[in-house]
Amino acid sequence: MTTGTLVFDGDAGFFETIAPTTAKGITAFLLKPTKLYGTSSANDTTTITLQATISSAVDNYYKGWTIQTYGAAAGTPQSRVISSYVGSTLVATVPVWDNPTDSCPYVLIPPFEGLQALEALIDVETYQVRFRLDGVDPTSTVGHILPAGASYILKGIADLKKIRFIDTASGASSIKVTVFF
C-alpha cells in the first residue's frame, strides 16, 4: 500500500480537507511543515521575490511565515514576518528592511516553528472513513470507523504523528482537520 502525505501549513485553526481513496490505497497523516531554503531573484525595501522552484503559487500562502536572509549577499542578516504574498509573482511583502541584494539566500520559517500541535479536531464531511492511531495504514475493513457527520478530537503529539485515515466509499469520503497549537 502506498502512503500519501498530508501537509498542514502549521497555522492554528488552519483547515485542510482530505479525500483519501481506497482505489489508490492512499492514507493521510499529519506532518509538520519544514523550513524552505532559497535564493531571491529581486528585492527592495519592502518586498522579496522568492525562488520559483520551491515557492507556492497560492496567494498569501506564506503570510505569517518568517523570512530570514543570511550570507554576504544579505548584508546584515535580517528577519521579518511576511505580511502578504502574491503567488503569481512570488513576491512576499515584509516590513521595511535594509534592501538585501538580488540573489540573496533566505530561509522561510513556518509559523509555530519549534512548537508542537496540541490537538486536532477531525470532522467527517462525507461518507465514513476508517482510521488507526498506531502508525499503521488502515484498510477498508480494518481500523476504527468514523461515520459522516461525526467529529473526533485527537490530543497529544504522539497520536497526531501516528494517525492514518482511509476512505471507505471509493473516493467519495472527505474529512476536515483543524489543528491547534
Side-chain angles (χ1 to χ4, degrees):
M1 178 178 282
T2 304
T3 301
T5 305
L6 171 68
V7 180
F8 292 87
D9 79 355
D11 287 336
F14 174 79
F15 293 97
E16 183 72 25
T17 298
I18 59 176
T21 67
T22 55
K24 296 181 180 175
I26 294 175
T27 62
F29 60 98
L30 177 64
L31 179 69
K32 191 174 189 310
T34 59
K35 295 177 183 178
L36 297 174
Y37 293 85
T39 303
S40 66
S41 59
N43 308 307
D44 63 31
T45 58
T46 59
T47 64
I48 183 167
T49 303
L50 305 182
Q51 184 175 324
T53 56
I54 63 164
S55 298
S56 172
V58 177
D59 285 346
N60 285 320
Y61 186 84
Y62 298 113
K63 183 177 180 178
W65 287 49
T66 298
I67 187 162
Q68 189 172 49
T69 60
Y70 61 91
T76 303
Q78 301 175 74
S79 181
R80 300 288 188 274
V81 175
I82 296 171
S83 59
S84 67
Y85 174 73
V86 179
S88 61
T89 61
L90 308 176
V91 173
T93 302
V94 296
V96 175
W97 61 1
D98 295 333
N99 187 8
T101 62
D102 295 344
S103 301
C104 175
Y106 65 84
V107 59
L108 287 171
I109 304 167
F112 304 101
E113 177 66 19
L115 298 178
Q116 294 184 340
L118 299 175
E119 63 184 42
L121 171 64
I122 300 161
D123 294 305
V124 181
E125 295 182 324
T126 58
Y127 302 101
Q128 72 181 14
V129 295
R130 285 191 179 270
F131 73 97
R132 290 185 66 157
L133 293 172
D134 58 3
V136 177
D137 295 339
T139 68
S140 58
T141 59
V142 176
H144 301 285
I145 293 176
L146 274 177
S151 294
Y152 184 77
I153 295 178
L154 188 62
K155 294 185 178 202
I157 192 65
D159 285 344
L160 287 166
K161 286 182 176 181
K162 293 188 289 183
I163 194 164
R164 304 285 191 273
F165 295 95
I166 194 161
D167 178 26
T168 61
S170 300
S173 299
S174 68
I175 63 174
K176 183 175 283 186
V177 181
T178 307
V179 181
F180 301 96
F181 290 86

